[in-house]
Amino acid sequence: MAIVTGASRGIGRAISLRLATDGCIVALIARNADALAEVQAEIEKAGGTASCHVCDLQVSAAFVSTIESIVEQYGRVDVLVNNAGMTRDGLMLRMTDEDFDCVINVNLKAVFAGCRTVARPMMKQRWGRMINITSITGLSGNAGQANYAAAKAGLVGLTKTIAKEFGSKGITANAIAPGFIETDMTAGLGDDVRKSVEGSVPLRRYGQPEEVAATVSFLASQDAGYITGQVIIVDGGLTC
Ligand code: NAD
């Protein structure tokens, strides 16, 4: 049984479809009920099982109670994929505290709350997979994204710490750092940025959400049982 945040579109949608194909029941979390219902319908059409849970991750307490109700409903949780993310870009001198806080709340604080909440049921099962979607921006920084880079770098430290605290309980924690992936988040960057990125990525293209989903699928599987505390970069070679 897997919980996926930000499941309504982009990378989260692809992860949800992939985990359902792998045989997981998937609890889909995002803010938009209609978009979630479409993903649920797609999963069910393909023979899988999913449920929809509307929740705004700005409020950690709401996220915690959503996870608790999912765990109560299914009696367990095997995989948590913290994928939901947002940007509010701007150069640091003009970035407000509110711009900083709301990006930290969704991209980092909610992930801490989510991992802490699933830790107990996973410890009882002596099996669990926590997978956090960070970004290459969290590894190298990016002008105009002080809030997002700080949050995504924070996820790396959080993930490595979870790996150390819960490894003896059979729980693994890993992060995935995508580069430029073709979703709504990158659509706003425009054609000029796209051309320049494609020129510098060794594989000469944006990545697809399904390519990140395939990495999640592997990390969630039995085959990845001896991998924990790692950051897997999925960026077409951009940072190599
Ligand atoms: P997207 O904007 O297409 O989708 C983001 C998802 O997060 C949506 O489902 C949205 O509803 C959800 N979300 C955002 N704020 C939320 C909130 N307050 N409460 C609940 N849900 C919320 O983005 P994407 O490109 O699919 O990105 C998915 C993840 O991958 C994010 O964490 C993002 O930072 C990361 N990432 C994306 C790229 C890329 O190139 N697209 C690169 C690196 C990292």
Side-chain angles (χ1 to χ4, degrees):
M1 190 279 133
I3 298 175
V4 180
T5 69
S8 60
R9 62 174 196 237
I11 295 171
R13 172 183 164 277
I15 291 169
S16 303
L17 293 171
R18 176 61 192 257
L19 291 179
T21 305
D22 291 346
C24 287
I25 295 171
V26 187
L28 311 163
I29 297 181
R31 286 169 301 181
N32 185 325
D34 292 342
L36 279 182
E38 279 177 30
V39 177
Q40 181 186 27
E42 250 184 286
I43 287 174
E44 288 176 350
K45 201 172 155 201
T49 308
S51 55
C52 300
H53 308 267
V54 175
C55 176
D56 187 341
L57 270 61
Q58 279 289 350
V59 186
S60 281
F63 183 36
V64 168
S65 61
T66 300
I67 294 178
E68 284 172 347
S69 73
I70 292 168
V71 175
E72 202 177 306
Q73 181 179 347
Y74 293 104
R76 61 183 297 117
V77 53
D78 302 294
V79 181
L80 171 65
V81 185
N82 286 299
N83 161 79
M86 61 167 292
T87 52
R88 203 179 273 188
D89 296 351
L91 292 171
M92 235 178 100
L93 289 179
R94 275 189 239 122
M95 188 175 283
T96 63
D97 286 357
E98 201 225 330
D99 291 337
F100 191 84
D101 288 347
C102 75
V103 169
I104 293 287
N105 284 345
V106 173
N107 294 291
L108 180 60
K109 195 172 169 201
V111 177
F112 166 70
C115 291
R116 189 183 52 188
T117 309
V118 297
R120 273 185 208 289
M122 285 182 176
M123 279 163 69
K124 263 196 220 149
Q125 297 161 191
R126 296 199 71 79
W127 203 94
R129 298 276 196 263
M130 301 189 203
I131 301 167
N132 298 326
I133 308 300
T134 177
S135 166
I136 54 168
T137 296
L139 306 177
S140 52
N142 191 25
Q145 292 196 306
N147 46 6
Y148 184 75
K152 293 300 193 182
L155 281 186
V156 174
L158 175 65
T159 305
K160 288 177 182 289
T161 300
I162 293 168
K164 288 183 172 156
E165 287 197 17
F166 296 101
S168 64
K169 311 292 182 198
I171 298 168
T172 67
N174 290 289
I176 296 173
F180 287 82
I181 309 297
E182 199 160 349
T183 68
D184 289 356
M185 192 177 264
T186 45
L189 297 176
D191 287 346
D192 287 350
V193 172
R194 185 172 183 133
K195 267 193 201 124
S196 133
V197 168
E198 287 176 343
S200 36
V201 173
L203 290 179
R204 295 284 184 268
R205 62 177 177 85
Y206 271 21
Q208 292 303 310
E210 291 72 20
E211 293 174 308
V212 179
T215 311
V216 171
S217 166
F218 170 64
L219 288 174
S221 74
Q222 293 285 357
D223 287 345
Y226 203 54
I227 300 174
T228 194
Q230 303 306 310
V231 181
I232 313 291
I233 298 174
V234 182
D235 71 348
L238 184 61
T239 56
C240 74

